[in-house]
Amino acid sequence: MAKDKNYRPPILEGKKALIVGVANDNSIAYGCARAFHELGCEVAITYLNEKARPHVEPLAKAVDAKIFVPLDVSKPGELEAVFKRIEQEWGELDIVVHSIASAKKEDIKGKLIDCSADGFALAMDISVHSFIRMAKLAAPLMKKGGTMFAMSYHGARKVVPNYNVMGPVKAALEAACRYLAYELGKKKIRVHTISPGPLKTRAASGLKDFDLLLNEAIERAPVGQLVDIMDVGFACAYLATPYARRMTGETLYVDGGVNIMA
């Protein structure tokens, strides 16, 4: 059958993306995986551990993930093993999505002033430094350039009651993305922070009075609606396309406009 001369391949066809942070079908990372897949991108997906695998594996199959591997960034060697697998199977990489964060329960629930040094270091290592380590491993595989994403929240720039230790941690993540954008720009690698509005993810459910945050977001958003994981996924997908080829170092809000309100 002759090809339709008007056929245009999906905008991300031939691209390869690593998605880190899928826990269930409500995960922001899964929204990114679905969006990339829909636009023709091959995806690799990680799962935290064997306990998480049964919840993530069906989602990986749904987006035809060619690579499905464990990754706990707190365990030495696991991050390196992921990139070794990508190098062996793909030989290159175009997109990285880092959608993981963690802190001790008492630090998430408690006041920043009471956060221990160990607790702060743990939150910074998993939520921020793991992205820096990931960027270092990904950059050599982005031979023709690429795009890296990390997930933040409005609490990085403004005080959100009950966000506690994650506020300064996410502020550090946003700063790290800007510096990585500067350092990797000459390699045609672009780095962005995405700042979604409140979403009903497993991680967010650990925040005190999270339902109040959701209700307030609906009331304050100019569009009068909450965002969902696909809104975040397609925003990332756009930034990974040639249409955004000269955009880098941005913190892009995907929150229905809540961040513009006084």
Side-chain angles (χ1 to χ4, degrees):
M1 184 182 293
K3 274 191 174 182
D4 182 350
K5 64 180 181 180
N6 295 317
Y7 171 75
R8 294 292 182 271
I11 189 66
L12 292 179
E13 187 173 282
K15 301 296 184 182
K16 296 173 173 59
L18 169 64
I19 315 291
V20 175
V22 177
N24 54 41
D25 59 0
N26 292 320
S27 297
I28 290 171
Y30 185 52
C32 293
R34 285 174 57 191
F36 291 142
H37 175 66
E38 188 172 320
L39 295 177
C41 186
E42 287 188 67
V43 298
I45 287 179
T46 67
Y47 58 96
L48 180 61
N49 50 35
E50 285 305 309
K51 183 179 179 181
R53 180 171 184 156
H55 303 285
V56 183
E57 192 162 19
L59 305 178
K61 289 179 179 178
V63 295
D64 195 25
K66 303 300 183 186
I67 298 173
F68 181 62
V69 288
L71 175 60
D72 181 342
V73 295
S74 69
K75 291 185 176 180
E78 285 205 3
L79 188 59
E80 290 78 5
V82 170
F83 281 91
K84 188 68 175 177
R85 175 78 179 273
I86 290 171
E87 183 179 19
Q88 290 172 343
E89 294 205 19
W90 284 348
E92 60 184 2
L93 191 61
D94 302 286
I95 301 163
V96 167
V97 175
H98 175 284
S99 185
I100 55 176
S102 185
K104 292 181 178 181
K105 185 180 291 186
E106 59 266 32
D107 293 329
I108 293 174
K109 299 285 188 181
K111 296 179 180 178
L112 174 62
I113 202 168
D114 295 323
C115 183
S116 67
D118 287 346
F120 194 79
L122 174 70
M124 287 289 288
D125 182 62
I126 294 177
S127 310
V128 183
H129 196 257
S130 67
F131 180 63
I132 298 171
R133 299 196 301 273
M134 202 173 291
K136 185 173 183 177
L137 292 166
L141 295 174
M142 293 182 165
K143 300 168 185 177
K144 300 174 185 175
T147 319
M148 302 180 183
F149 300 98
M151 298 296 158
S152 187
Y153 178 59
H154 190 49
R157 298 197 176 187
K158 300 288 184 179
V159 174
V160 175
N162 300 319
Y163 200 51
N164 305 325
V165 67
M166 294 310 297
V169 168
K170 290 295 189 181
L173 179 64
E174 291 188 8
C177 286
R178 290 190 289 270
Y179 276 85
L180 288 171
Y182 167 72
E183 292 179 0
L184 297 174
K186 290 182 180 178
K187 297 182 178 181
K188 296 183 180 179
I189 297 172
R190 298 175 293 115
V191 186
H192 293 290
T193 313
I194 306 299
S195 188
L199 288 157
K200 293 181 180 180
T201 62
R202 189 177 71 176
S205 65
L207 298 175
K208 183 180 177 183
D209 296 330
F210 181 67
D211 286 343
L212 297 178
L213 276 179
L214 291 174
N215 293 334
E216 184 183 12
I218 296 172
E219 292 174 3
R220 298 185 67 226
V223 300
Q225 296 175 314
L226 289 173
V227 296
D228 60 34
I229 61 171
M230 295 308 297
D231 295 321
V232 182
F234 283 121
C236 290
Y238 161 70
L239 290 171
T241 69
Y243 298 132
R245 63 187 179 182
R246 292 192 178 95
M247 293 176 64
T248 193
E250 298 290 337
T251 294
L252 178 69
Y253 282 92
V254 185
D255 65 354
V258 174
N259 74 93
I260 69 172
M261 304 303 292

